[in-house]
Coordinates of all heavy atoms in Angstrom, one line a residue:
M7 N -50.9 -70.8 -13.1 CA -49.7 -70.7 -12.2 C -48.9 -69.5 -12.6 O -48.6 -69.3 -13.7 CB -48.9 -72.0 -12.4 CG -47.6 -72.0 -11.6 SD -46.8 -73.6 -11.9 CE -46.0 -73.8 -10.3
P8 N -48.7 -68.6 -11.6 CA -48.0 -67.3 -11.9 C -46.5 -67.6 -12.4 O -45.9 -68.6 -12.0 CB -48.0 -66.5 -10.6 CG -48.3 -67.5 -9.6 CD -49.0 -68.7 -10.2
A9 N -46.1 -66.7 -13.2 CA -44.7 -66.8 -13.7 C -43.7 -66.6 -12.6 O -44.0 -65.9 -11.6 CB -44.4 -65.8 -14.8
D10 N -42.5 -67.1 -12.7 CA -41.5 -67.0 -11.7 C -41.0 -65.5 -11.7 O -40.5 -65.1 -12.8 CB -40.4 -68.0 -12.0 CG -39.2 -67.9 -11.0 OD1 -39.2 -67.0 -10.1 OD2 -38.3 -68.8 -11.1
P11 N -41.1 -64.8 -10.6 CA -40.6 -63.4 -10.6 C -39.2 -63.3 -11.0 O -38.8 -62.3 -11.6 CB -40.9 -63.0 -9.1 CG -41.8 -64.0 -8.5 CD -41.6 -65.2 -9.3
L12 N -38.3 -64.2 -10.6 CA -36.9 -64.2 -11.0 C -36.8 -64.2 -12.5 O -36.0 -63.5 -13.1 CB -36.2 -65.3 -10.3 CG -34.7 -65.3 -10.5 CD1 -34.0 -64.0 -10.0 CD2 -34.0 -66.5 -9.8
D13 N -37.5 -65.1 -13.1 CA -37.5 -65.2 -14.6 C -38.0 -63.9 -15.3 O -37.4 -63.5 -16.2 CB -38.3 -66.4 -15.1 CG -37.7 -67.7 -14.8 OD1 -36.5 -67.8 -14.6 OD2 -38.5 -68.7 -14.8
E14 N -39.0 -63.3 -14.7 CA -39.5 -62.0 -15.2 C -38.4 -60.9 -15.1 O -38.2 -60.2 -16.1 CB -40.8 -61.6 -14.5 CG -42.0 -62.5 -14.9 CD -43.2 -62.0 -14.1 OE1 -43.3 -60.9 -13.7 OE2 -44.2 -62.8 -14.0
L15 N -37.8 -60.9 -14.0 CA -36.7 -59.9 -13.8 C -35.5 -60.1 -14.8 O -35.0 -59.2 -15.3 CB -36.3 -59.8 -12.4 CG -37.3 -59.3 -11.4 CD1 -36.8 -59.5 -9.9 CD2 -37.6 -57.8 -11.6
R16 N -35.2 -61.4 -14.9 CA -34.1 -61.7 -15.9 C -34.5 -61.3 -17.3 O -33.6 -60.9 -18.1 CB -33.8 -63.2 -15.7 CG -33.0 -63.5 -14.5 CD -32.6 -64.9 -14.3 NE -31.8 -65.1 -13.2 CZ -31.7 -66.2 -12.5 NH1 -32.4 -67.3 -12.9 NH2 -30.9 -66.3 -11.5
L17 N -35.7 -61.5 -17.7 CA -36.2 -61.1 -19.0 C -36.0 -59.6 -19.2 O -35.6 -59.1 -20.2 CB -37.6 -61.5 -19.3 CG -37.8 -63.0 -19.6 CD1 -39.3 -63.3 -19.7 CD2 -37.1 -63.4 -20.9
K18 N -36.3 -58.8 -18.1 CA -36.1 -57.4 -18.1 C -34.7 -57.0 -18.3 O -34.3 -56.1 -19.1 CB -36.7 -56.7 -16.9 CG -38.2 -56.6 -16.8 CD -38.6 -55.9 -15.5 CE -40.1 -55.8 -15.4 NZ -40.5 -55.1 -14.2
I19 N -33.8 -57.7 -17.6 CA -32.3 -57.5 -17.7 C -31.9 -57.8 -19.2 O -31.1 -57.0 -19.8 CB -31.6 -58.4 -16.7 CG1 -31.8 -57.9 -15.3 CG2 -30.1 -58.4 -17.1 CD1 -31.1 -56.6 -14.9
D20 N -32.4 -58.9 -19.7 CA -32.0 -59.3 -21.1 C -32.4 -58.2 -22.1 O -31.7 -57.8 -23.0 CB -32.7 -60.6 -21.5 CG -32.1 -61.8 -20.8 OD1 -31.0 -61.7 -20.2 OD2 -32.7 -62.9 -20.8
S21 N -33.6 -57.6 -21.9 CA -34.1 -56.6 -22.8 C -33.3 -55.3 -22.6 O -32.9 -54.7 -23.6 CB -35.6 -56.3 -22.4 OG -36.1 -55.2 -23.2
L22 N -33.0 -54.9 -21.4 CA -32.1 -53.8 -21.1 C -30.7 -54.0 -21.7 O -30.1 -53.1 -22.3 CB -32.0 -53.5 -19.6 CG -33.3 -52.9 -19.0 CD1 -33.2 -53.0 -17.5 CD2 -33.6 -51.5 -19.5
D23 N -30.2 -55.2 -21.6 CA -28.8 -55.5 -22.1 C -28.9 -55.3 -23.6 O -27.9 -54.7 -24.2 CB -28.4 -56.9 -21.8 CG -27.9 -57.0 -20.3 OD1 -27.7 -56.0 -19.7 OD2 -27.8 -58.1 -19.9
A24 N -29.9 -55.7 -24.3 CA -30.0 -55.5 -25.8 C -30.0 -54.1 -26.1 O -29.3 -53.6 -27.1 CB -31.3 -56.2 -26.3
Q25 N -30.7 -53.3 -25.3 CA -30.8 -51.8 -25.6 C -29.4 -51.2 -25.3 O -29.0 -50.3 -26.1 CB -31.8 -51.2 -24.7 CG -33.3 -51.5 -25.1 CD -34.2 -51.0 -24.0 OE1 -34.3 -49.8 -23.8 NE2 -35.0 -51.9 -23.4
I26 N -28.8 -51.6 -24.3 CA -27.4 -51.0 -23.9 C -26.4 -51.3 -25.0 O -25.7 -50.5 -25.4 CB -27.0 -51.6 -22.5 CG1 -27.8 -51.0 -21.4 CG2 -25.5 -51.3 -22.3 CD1 -27.7 -51.6 -20.1
V27 N -26.4 -52.6 -25.5 CA -25.5 -53.0 -26.6 C -25.8 -52.1 -27.8 O -24.8 -51.6 -28.5 CB -25.6 -54.5 -26.9 CG1 -24.9 -54.9 -28.1 CG2 -25.0 -55.3 -25.7
D28 N -27.0 -52.0 -28.1 CA -27.4 -51.2 -29.3 C -26.9 -49.7 -29.1 O -26.3 -49.1 -30.0 CB -28.9 -51.2 -29.5 CG -29.3 -50.4 -30.8 OD1 -28.8 -50.7 -31.9 OD2 -30.1 -49.5 -30.7
L29 N -27.2 -49.1 -28.0 CA -26.7 -47.8 -27.7 C -25.2 -47.6 -27.7 O -24.7 -46.6 -28.3 CB -27.3 -47.3 -26.4 CG -28.8 -47.0 -26.4 CD1 -29.3 -46.8 -25.0 CD2 -29.2 -45.8 -27.3
L30 N -24.5 -48.6 -27.2 CA -23.0 -48.5 -27.2 C -22.5 -48.6 -28.6 O -21.6 -47.9 -29.0 CB -22.5 -49.7 -26.4 CG -22.6 -49.5 -24.8 CD1 -22.1 -50.8 -24.1 CD2 -21.9 -48.3 -24.3
N31 N -23.1 -49.4 -29.5 CA -22.7 -49.5 -30.8 C -23.1 -48.2 -31.6 O -22.3 -47.7 -32.5 CB -23.2 -50.7 -31.5 CG -22.4 -51.9 -31.2 OD1 -21.1 -51.9 -31.3 ND2 -23.0 -53.0 -30.7
Q32 N -24.2 -47.6 -31.3 CA -24.5 -46.3 -31.9 C -23.5 -45.3 -31.5 O -23.0 -44.5 -32.3 CB -25.9 -45.8 -31.5 CG -27.1 -46.6 -32.1 CD -28.4 -46.0 -31.6 OE1 -28.6 -44.8 -31.6 NE2 -29.3 -46.9 -31.2
R33 N -23.1 -45.3 -30.2 CA -22.1 -44.3 -29.8 C -20.7 -44.6 -30.5 O -20.0 -43.7 -30.9 CB -21.9 -44.5 -28.3 CG -21.0 -43.5 -27.6 CD -20.8 -43.9 -26.1 NE -20.2 -42.8 -25.3 CZ -18.9 -42.5 -25.3 NH1 -18.1 -43.2 -26.0 NH2 -18.4 -41.5 -24.6
A34 N -20.4 -45.9 -30.7 CA -19.2 -46.2 -31.4 C -19.2 -45.7 -32.8 O -18.1 -45.3 -33.3 CB -19.0 -47.7 -31.3
H35 N -20.3 -45.7 -33.5 CA -20.4 -45.2 -34.9 C -20.1 -43.7 -34.9 O -19.4 -43.2 -35.7 CB -21.8 -45.5 -35.5 CG -22.0 -46.9 -35.9 ND1 -21.3 -47.5 -36.9 CD2 -22.8 -47.8 -35.5 CE1 -21.7 -48.7 -37.1 NE2 -22.6 -48.9 -36.2
V36 N -20.5 -43.0 -33.9 CA -20.2 -41.6 -33.7 C -18.7 -41.4 -33.5 O -18.1 -40.5 -34.0 CB -21.1 -40.9 -32.7 CG1 -20.7 -39.4 -32.5 CG2 -22.6 -41.0 -33.0
V37 N -18.2 -42.2 -32.6 CA -16.7 -42.2 -32.3 C -15.9 -42.3 -33.6 O -15.0 -41.6 -33.8 CB -16.4 -43.2 -31.3 CG1 -14.9 -43.5 -31.2 CG2 -16.9 -42.9 -29.9
V38 N -16.3 -43.2 -34.5 CA -15.6 -43.5 -35.7 C -15.7 -42.2 -36.6 O -14.7 -41.8 -37.1 CB -16.2 -44.7 -36.5 CG1 -15.7 -44.7 -37.9 CG2 -15.9 -46.0 -35.8
E39 N -16.8 -41.5 -36.6 CA -16.9 -40.3 -37.4 C -16.0 -39.2 -36.8 O -15.4 -38.4 -37.5 CB -18.4 -39.8 -37.4 CG -19.3 -40.7 -38.2 CD -18.8 -40.9 -39.6 OE1 -18.5 -39.9 -40.3 OE2 -18.8 -42.1 -40.1
I40 N -16.0 -39.1 -35.4 CA -15.1 -38.2 -34.8 C -13.6 -38.5 -35.1 O -12.8 -37.6 -35.4 CB -15.3 -38.2 -33.2 CG1 -16.7 -37.6 -32.9 CG2 -14.2 -37.5 -32.5 CD1 -17.1 -37.8 -31.5
G41 N -13.3 -39.8 -35.1 CA -11.9 -40.2 -35.5 C -11.6 -39.8 -36.9 O -10.4 -39.3 -37.1
K42 N -12.5 -39.9 -37.8 CA -12.2 -39.5 -39.2 C -12.0 -38.0 -39.3 O -11.1 -37.5 -39.9 CB -13.4 -39.8 -40.1 CG -13.5 -41.3 -40.3 CD -14.8 -41.6 -41.2 CE -15.0 -43.1 -41.4 NZ -16.3 -43.4 -42.1
L43 N -12.8 -37.2 -38.5 CA -12.6 -35.7 -38.5 C -11.2 -35.4 -37.9 O -10.5 -34.5 -38.4 CB -13.7 -35.0 -37.8 CG -15.1 -35.0 -38.5 CD1 -16.1 -34.4 -37.6 CD2 -14.9 -34.2 -39.8
K44 N -10.9 -36.0 -36.8 CA -9.6 -35.8 -36.1 C -8.5 -36.1 -37.1 O -7.5 -35.4 -37.1 CB -9.5 -36.6 -34.8 CG -10.3 -36.0 -33.7 CD -10.1 -36.9 -32.5 CE -10.8 -36.4 -31.2 NZ -10.6 -37.2 -30.1
Q45 N -8.6 -37.2 -37.8 CA -7.6 -37.6 -38.8 C -7.4 -36.5 -39.8 O -6.3 -36.1 -40.2 CB -7.9 -38.9 -39.4 CG -6.8 -39.5 -40.1 CD -7.1 -40.9 -40.6 OE1 -8.2 -41.2 -41.1 NE2 -6.2 -41.9 -40.5
Q46 N -8.5 -36.0 -40.4 CA -8.5 -35.0 -41.4 C -7.9 -33.7 -40.9 O -7.2 -33.0 -41.6 CB -9.9 -34.7 -41.9 CG -10.5 -35.8 -42.7 CD -12.0 -35.5 -43.0 OE1 -12.5 -34.5 -42.6 NE2 -12.6 -36.5 -43.7
Q47 N -8.1 -33.4 -39.6 CA -7.6 -32.2 -39.0 C -6.2 -32.4 -38.3 O -5.7 -31.4 -37.7 CB -8.6 -31.6 -38.0 CG -10.0 -31.3 -38.6 CD -11.0 -31.0 -37.6 OE1 -10.8 -31.2 -36.4 NE2 -12.2 -30.6 -38.0
N48 N -5.7 -33.6 -38.4 CA -4.4 -33.9 -37.7 C -4.5 -33.6 -36.2 O -3.6 -33.1 -35.6 CB -3.2 -33.2 -38.3 CG -2.9 -33.7 -39.7 OD1 -3.0 -34.9 -39.9 ND2 -2.6 -32.8 -40.6
S49 N -5.7 -33.8 -35.6 CA -5.9 -33.6 -34.2 C -5.5 -34.9 -33.4 O -5.7 -36.0 -34.0 CB -7.3 -33.3 -33.9 OG -7.7 -32.1 -34.5
P50 N -5.0 -34.8 -32.2 CA -4.7 -36.0 -31.4 C -6.0 -36.8 -31.1 O -7.1 -36.2 -30.9 CB -4.0 -35.5 -30.2 CG -4.5 -34.0 -30.1 CD -4.8 -33.6 -31.5
V51 N -5.8 -38.1 -31.0 CA -6.9 -39.0 -30.6 C -7.3 -38.7 -29.2 O -8.5 -38.6 -28.9 CB -6.6 -40.5 -30.9 CG1 -7.6 -41.4 -30.2 CG2 -6.4 -40.8 -32.3
Y52 N -6.4 -38.6 -28.3 CA -6.7 -38.5 -26.9 C -6.8 -37.0 -26.5 O -5.9 -36.2 -26.8 CB -5.6 -39.1 -26.1 CG -5.8 -39.0 -24.6 CD1 -6.9 -39.6 -23.9 CD2 -4.9 -38.2 -23.8 CE1 -7.1 -39.5 -22.6 CE2 -5.1 -38.1 -22.4 CZ -6.2 -38.7 -21.8 OH -6.4 -38.6 -20.5
A53 N -7.9 -36.7 -25.9 CA -8.2 -35.3 -25.5 C -8.5 -35.3 -24.0 O -9.7 -35.5 -23.7 CB -9.3 -34.7 -26.3
P54 N -7.5 -35.1 -23.2 CA -7.8 -35.2 -21.7 C -8.9 -34.2 -21.2 O -9.6 -34.6 -20.3 CB -6.4 -34.9 -21.1 CG -5.6 -34.4 -22.2 CD -6.2 -34.7 -23.5
D55 N -9.0 -33.1 -21.8 CA -10.1 -32.2 -21.4 C -11.5 -32.7 -21.7 O -12.4 -32.6 -20.9 CB -9.9 -30.8 -22.0 CG -8.7 -30.0 -21.5 OD1 -8.2 -30.4 -20.5 OD2 -8.3 -29.1 -22.2
R56 N -11.6 -33.4 -22.8 CA -12.8 -34.0 -23.2 C -13.2 -35.1 -22.3 O -14.3 -35.3 -21.9 CB -12.8 -34.4 -24.7 CG -14.0 -35.2 -25.1 CD -15.3 -34.3 -25.1 NE -16.4 -35.1 -25.5 CZ -17.7 -34.9 -25.2 NH1 -18.0 -33.9 -24.4 NH2 -18.6 -35.7 -25.6
E57 N -12.1 -35.9 -22.0 CA -12.4 -37.1 -21.1 C -12.8 -36.6 -19.7 O -13.8 -37.1 -19.2 CB -11.1 -37.9 -20.9 CG -11.3 -39.1 -20.0 CD -10.0 -39.9 -19.9 OE1 -9.0 -39.5 -20.4 OE2 -10.1 -41.0 -19.2
K58 N -12.2 -35.5 -19.2 CA -12.6 -35.0 -17.9 C -14.1 -34.5 -18.0 O -14.9 -34.7 -17.1 CB -11.7 -33.8 -17.6 CG -12.0 -33.2 -16.2 CD -11.0 -32.1 -15.9 CE -11.4 -31.4 -14.6 NZ -10.6 -30.2 -14.3
A59 N -14.4 -33.8 -19.1 CA -15.8 -33.3 -19.3 C -16.8 -34.4 -19.3 O -17.9 -34.3 -18.7 CB -15.9 -32.4 -20.5
V60 N -16.5 -35.5 -20.0 CA -17.4 -36.6 -20.1 C -17.6 -37.2 -18.7 O -18.7 -37.5 -18.3 CB -16.8 -37.7 -21.1 CG1 -17.6 -39.0 -20.9 CG2 -16.9 -37.2 -22.5
M61 N -16.5 -37.4 -17.9 CA -16.6 -38.0 -16.6 C -17.5 -37.0 -15.7 O -18.3 -37.5 -14.9 CB -15.3 -38.2 -16.0 CG -14.5 -39.3 -16.6 SD -15.4 -40.9 -16.4 CE -14.1 -42.0 -16.8
E62 N -17.3 -35.8 -15.8 CA -18.1 -34.8 -15.0 C -19.6 -34.9 -15.4 O -20.4 -34.9 -14.5 CB -17.6 -33.4 -15.2 CG -16.2 -33.1 -14.5 CD -15.7 -31.8 -14.8 OE1 -16.3 -31.0 -15.5 OE2 -14.5 -31.5 -14.3
K63 N -19.8 -35.1 -16.6 CA -21.2 -35.2 -17.1 C -21.8 -36.5 -16.6 O -23.0 -36.5 -16.1 CB -21.2 -35.1 -18.6 CG -22.6 -35.2 -19.2 CD -23.3 -33.9 -18.9 CE -24.5 -33.7 -19.8 NZ -25.2 -32.4 -19.6
V64 N -21.1 -37.6 -16.7 CA -21.6 -38.9 -16.2 C -21.9 -38.8 -14.7 O -23.0 -39.2 -14.3 CB -20.5 -40.0 -16.4 CG1 -20.8 -41.2 -15.7 CG2 -20.4 -40.3 -17.9
R65 N -21.0 -38.2 -13.9 CA -21.3 -38.0 -12.5 C -22.5 -37.2 -12.2 O -23.4 -37.5 -11.4 CB -20.1 -37.4 -11.8 CG -18.9 -38.4 -11.6 CD -17.9 -37.8 -10.7 NE -17.2 -36.6 -11.2 CZ -16.1 -36.7 -12.0 NH1 -15.6 -37.8 -12.3 NH2 -15.6 -35.6 -12.5
S66 N -22.7 -36.1 -13.0 CA -23.9 -35.3 -12.8 C -25.2 -36.0 -13.2 O -26.3 -35.7 -12.7 CB -23.7 -33.9 -13.6 OG -23.9 -34.1 -15.0
L67 N -25.1 -36.9 -14.2 CA -26.3 -37.6 -14.7 C -26.6 -38.8 -13.8 O -27.8 -39.2 -13.8 CB -26.1 -38.1 -16.1 CG -26.0 -37.0 -17.2 CD1 -25.6 -37.7 -18.5 CD2 -27.4 -36.3 -17.3
N68 N -25.7 -39.3 -13.1 CA -25.9 -40.5 -12.3 C -26.8 -40.2 -11.1 O -26.4 -39.4 -10.2 CB -24.5 -41.0 -11.8 CG -24.7 -42.4 -11.1 OD1 -25.6 -43.1 -11.3 ND2 -23.7 -42.6 -10.2
K69 N -27.9 -40.9 -11.0 CA -28.8 -40.8 -9.9 C -28.9 -42.1 -9.1 O -29.7 -42.3 -8.3 CB -30.2 -40.5 -10.4 CG -30.3 -39.3 -11.3 CD -30.0 -38.0 -10.5 CE -30.2 -36.8 -11.4 NZ -29.0 -35.9 -11.4
G70 N -27.9 -43.0 -9.4 CA -27.9 -44.3 -8.6 C -28.9 -45.3 -9.1 O -29.7 -45.0 -9.9
P71 N -28.8 -46.5 -8.5 CA -28.1 -46.9 -7.3 C -26.6 -47.2 -7.6 O -25.9 -47.4 -6.6 CB -28.8 -48.2 -6.9 CG -29.3 -48.8 -8.1 CD -29.7 -47.6 -9.0
L72 N -26.1 -47.2 -8.8 CA -24.7 -47.4 -9.0 C -23.9 -46.2 -8.5 O -24.4 -45.1 -8.8 CB -24.4 -47.6 -10.5 CG -24.8 -49.0 -11.1 CD1 -24.5 -49.0 -12.6 CD2 -24.0 -50.1 -10.4
S73 N -22.8 -46.4 -7.9 CA -22.0 -45.3 -7.4 C -21.3 -44.6 -8.6 O -21.2 -45.1 -9.7 CB -20.9 -45.8 -6.5 OG -20.0 -46.6 -7.2
N74 N -20.9 -43.4 -8.3 CA -20.1 -42.6 -9.3 C -18.8 -43.4 -9.7 O -18.5 -43.4 -10.9 CB -19.7 -41.2 -8.9 CG -20.9 -40.3 -9.0 OD1 -21.9 -40.5 -9.7 ND2 -20.8 -39.2 -8.3
R75 N -18.2 -44.0 -8.7 CA -17.0 -44.8 -9.0 C -17.3 -45.9 -10.0 O -16.5 -46.2 -10.9 CB -16.5 -45.3 -7.7 CG -15.2 -46.0 -7.8 CD -14.7 -46.4 -6.4 NE -13.4 -47.0 -6.5 CZ -12.5 -46.9 -5.5 NH1 -12.7 -46.3 -4.4 NH2 -11.3 -47.5 -5.7
S76 N -18.4 -46.6 -9.8 CA -18.8 -47.7 -10.7 C -19.0 -47.1 -12.1 O -18.6 -47.7 -13.1 CB -20.0 -48.4 -10.2 OG -19.7 -49.1 -9.0
M77 N -19.7 -46.0 -12.2 CA -20.0 -45.4 -13.5 C -18.7 -45.0 -14.2 O -18.6 -45.1 -15.4 CB -21.0 -44.2 -13.4 CG -22.4 -44.6 -13.1 SD -23.1 -45.4 -14.6 CE -24.8 -45.4 -14.2
E78 N -17.8 -44.4 -13.4 CA -16.6 -43.9 -14.0 C -15.8 -45.1 -14.5 O -15.2 -45.0 -15.6 CB -15.8 -43.2 -12.9 CG -16.4 -41.8 -12.6 CD -15.7 -41.2 -11.3 OE1 -14.8 -41.8 -10.7 OE2 -16.2 -40.2 -10.9
A79 N -15.8 -46.2 -13.8 CA -15.1 -47.4 -14.3 C -15.7 -47.9 -15.7 O -14.9 -48.2 -16.6 CB -15.2 -48.6 -13.3
V80 N -17.0 -47.9 -15.8 CA -17.6 -48.3 -17.0 C -17.2 -47.3 -18.1 O -16.8 -47.7 -19.2 CB -19.2 -48.3 -16.9 CG1 -19.9 -48.4 -18.2 CG2 -19.6 -49.4 -15.9
Y81 N -17.3 -46.0 -17.9 CA -16.9 -45.0 -18.9 C -15.4 -45.0 -19.2 O -15.1 -44.8 -20.4 CB -17.5 -43.7 -18.5 CG -18.8 -43.5 -19.1 CD1 -19.9 -44.0 -18.4 CD2 -19.0 -42.8 -20.3 CE1 -21.2 -43.9 -18.9 CE2 -20.3 -42.7 -20.8 CZ -21.4 -43.2 -20.1 OH -22.6 -43.1 -20.7
R82 N -14.6 -45.3 -18.3 CA -13.2 -45.4 -18.6 C -12.9 -46.5 -19.6 O -12.2 -46.4 -20.6 CB -12.3 -45.7 -17.3 CG -11.9 -44.4 -16.6 CD -10.8 -44.6 -15.6 NE -11.2 -45.5 -14.5 CZ -11.9 -45.2 -13.5 NH1 -12.3 -43.9 -13.3 NH2 -12.3 -46.0 -12.6
E83 N -13.6 -47.6 -19.4 CA -13.5 -48.8 -20.3 C -14.1 -48.4 -21.7 O -13.5 -48.7 -22.7 CB -14.1 -50.0 -19.7 CG -13.8 -51.3 -20.4 CD -12.4 -51.7 -20.4 OE1 -11.7 -51.4 -19.4 OE2 -11.9 -52.3 -21.4
L84 N -15.2 -47.8 -21.6 CA -15.9 -47.4 -22.9 C -15.0 -46.4 -23.7 O -14.8 -46.5 -24.9 CB -17.2 -46.7 -22.6 CG -18.1 -46.2 -23.7 CD1 -18.4 -47.3 -24.7 CD2 -19.3 -45.6 -23.2
M85 N -14.4 -45.4 -23.0 CA -13.5 -44.5 -23.7 C -12.2 -45.2 -24.2 O -11.7 -44.8 -25.2 CB -13.2 -43.3 -22.8 CG -14.4 -42.4 -22.7 SD -14.1 -40.8 -21.9 CE -14.1 -41.3 -20.2
S86 N -11.7 -46.1 -23.5 CA -10.6 -46.9 -23.9 C -10.9 -47.6 -25.2 O -10.1 -47.5 -26.2 CB -10.2 -47.9 -22.8 OG -9.1 -48.7 -23.3
G87 N -12.0 -48.2 -25.3 CA -12.5 -48.8 -26.6 C -12.7 -47.8 -27.7 O -12.4 -48.1 -28.8
S88 N -13.1 -46.6 -27.3 CA -13.4 -45.6 -28.3 C -12.0 -45.1 -28.8 O -11.9 -44.9 -30.1 CB -14.1 -44.4 -27.7 OG -15.4 -44.8 -27.3
F89 N -11.0 -44.9 -28.0 CA -9.7 -44.5 -28.4 C -9.1 -45.5 -29.4 O -8.5 -45.2 -30.4 CB -8.7 -44.3 -27.3 CG -9.1 -43.2 -26.3 CD1 -8.9 -43.3 -25.0 CD2 -9.8 -42.0 -26.8 CE1 -9.3 -42.3 -24.1 CE2 -10.1 -41.0 -25.9 CZ -9.9 -41.2 -24.5
A90 N -9.3 -46.8 -29.1 CA -8.8 -47.8 -30.0 C -9.5 -47.8 -31.3 O -8.8 -47.9 -32.4 CB -9.1 -49.2 -29.3
L91 N -10.8 -47.5 -31.4 CA -11.5 -47.3 -32.6 C -10.9 -46.2 -33.4 O -10.7 -46.3 -34.6 CB -13.0 -47.1 -32.4 CG -13.9 -48.2 -32.2 CD1 -15.3 -47.8 -31.9 CD2 -13.9 -49.2 -33.4
E92 N -10.7 -45.0 -32.8 CA -10.2 -43.9 -33.5 C -8.8 -44.1 -34.0 O -8.4 -43.6 -35.1 CB -10.2 -42.7 -32.5 CG -11.5 -42.1 -32.2 CD -11.5 -40.8 -31.4 OE1 -10.6 -40.0 -31.7 OE2 -12.3 -40.7 -30.5
R93 N -7.9 -44.8 -33.3 CA -6.6 -45.1 -33.7 C -6.5 -46.0 -34.9 O -5.5 -45.9 -35.7 CB -5.8 -45.8 -32.5 CG -5.3 -44.8 -31.5 CD -4.3 -45.4 -30.6 NE -4.4 -44.8 -29.3 CZ -4.9 -45.2 -28.2 NH1 -5.5 -46.4 -28.2 NH2 -4.9 -44.5 -27.1
T94 N -7.5 -46.9 -35.1 CA -7.4 -47.8 -36.2 C -7.8 -47.2 -37.5 O -7.7 -47.9 -38.5 CB -8.3 -49.1 -35.9 OG1 -9.6 -48.7 -35.7 CG2 -7.8 -49.8 -34.7
L95 N -8.3 -46.0 -37.5 CA -8.7 -45.4 -38.8 C -7.6 -45.1 -39.7 O -6.5 -44.7 -39.2 CB -9.6 -44.1 -38.5 CG -10.9 -44.4 -37.7 CD1 -11.5 -43.1 -37.4 CD2 -11.8 -45.2 -38.6

C-alpha cells in the first residue's frame, strides 16, 4: 500500500522546519558576537542602514512563491529578536 502523499509532504515540512530552526539559531549566535563587538566599540544596537540593506538583500534573493511582503515580515520579526539579543549583553 503506497504511503499517504500528505504524510510524505508533512515529513518534508518537518525536516525543513528542523533545518530552519537550526539555521536561525546559527544566525543568532553570530548576532550575539556582533552585539559583543558593538558593546566593546560603544556602537548602537540598532543600525537602520544595515536593516535597510538586509531587507534589500532579502528581496533580491526571494524567488517566490512567498511574496516580498511576506519575507519582509519574517525578517522584521527575526531582526527584532536579534536586537533583543544584542541588548541583553
Side-chain angles (χ1 to χ4, degrees):
M7 182 178 210
D10 182 352
L12 185 59
D13 287 341
E14 288 180 20
L15 291 172
R16 286 180 173 155
L17 285 173
K18 285 182 182 180
I19 291 287
D20 290 346
S21 176
L22 289 167
D23 284 344
Q25 292 174 56
I26 290 167
V27 168
D28 183 55
L29 289 170
L30 289 174
N31 280 307
Q32 287 180 49
R33 187 184 194 281
H35 284 294
V36 175
V37 165
V38 168
E39 293 305 311
I40 289 170
K42 289 176 184 175
L43 287 174
K44 285 181 177 179
Q45 191 175 45
Q46 290 170 3
Q47 299 170 353
N48 291 321
S49 298
V51 169
Y52 180 65
D55 291 344
R56 176 63 182 152
E57 182 178 5
K58 182 180 176 186
V60 169
M61 288 300 196
E62 287 173 2
K63 185 69 162 181
V64 166
R65 285 190 295 272
S66 73
L67 292 170
N68 185 27
K69 304 295 183 229
L72 286 175
S73 68
N74 281 343
R75 187 176 182 150
S76 293
M77 283 293 192
E78 289 167 3
V80 169
Y81 269 80
R82 270 193 301 277
E83 192 63 32
L84 180 58
M85 285 189 282
S86 175
S88 296
F89 297 143
L91 276 176
E92 286 185 46
R93 277 192 210 105
T94 60
L95 296 175

